Amino acid sequence: MTYVNVCFQHLRVTLKIPDGKNCQVYFDKCVEICWLAAVQDPPLAIAMNETETFDSTRFRDYTVKGPYLDFMV
């Protein structure tokens, strides 16, 4: 059993999730995405709050410019 599986089983028991199969797939993808973000050079950091204004010195506009965050891509 991998460390990821051990962590998932702990979360499943702690959060009382009855069927862990679908959640396991989701959890595995989340771990994969976080791992891929962390091993980039420089590492990808997600630092944005919904109430925070858009900081164009740190981020690029995706489709629409404006002072507030609508969604992250």
Side-chain angles (χ1 to χ4, degrees), residues 45-62 64-72:
I46 300 172
M48 195 65 142
N49 295 325
E50 291 180 13
T51 58
E52 189 177 345
T53 57
F54 187 80
D55 184 358
S56 60
T57 61
R58 294 176 58 202
F59 303 102
R60 288 184 303 165
D61 298 316
Y62 180 63
V64 179
K65 290 185 177 189
Y68 297 102
L69 172 68
D70 186 27
F71 64 94
M72 287 184 18

Side-chain angles (χ1 to χ4, degrees), residues 28-55:
D28 288 345
K29 271 297 179 195
C30 289
V31 170
E32 179 184 358
I33 290 168
C34 290
W35 175 258
L36 291 172
V39 298
Q40 299 303 307
D41 187 22
L44 174 66
I46 300 172
M48 195 65 142
N49 295 325
E50 291 180 13
T51 58
E52 189 177 345
T53 57
F54 187 80
D55 184 358

Side-chain angles (χ1 to χ4, degrees), residues 7-41:
C7 290
F8 174 72
Q9 292 305 322
H10 174 72
L11 283 173
R12 193 171 81 77
V13 170
T14 303
L15 299 175
K16 298 179 180 134
I17 300 169
D19 174 23
K21 184 160 176 58
N22 290 332
C23 290
Q24 177 74 51
V25 173
Y26 176 77
F27 186 80
D28 288 345
K29 271 297 179 195
C30 289
V31 170
E32 179 184 358
I33 290 168
C34 290
W35 175 258
L36 291 172
V39 298
Q40 299 303 307
D41 187 22

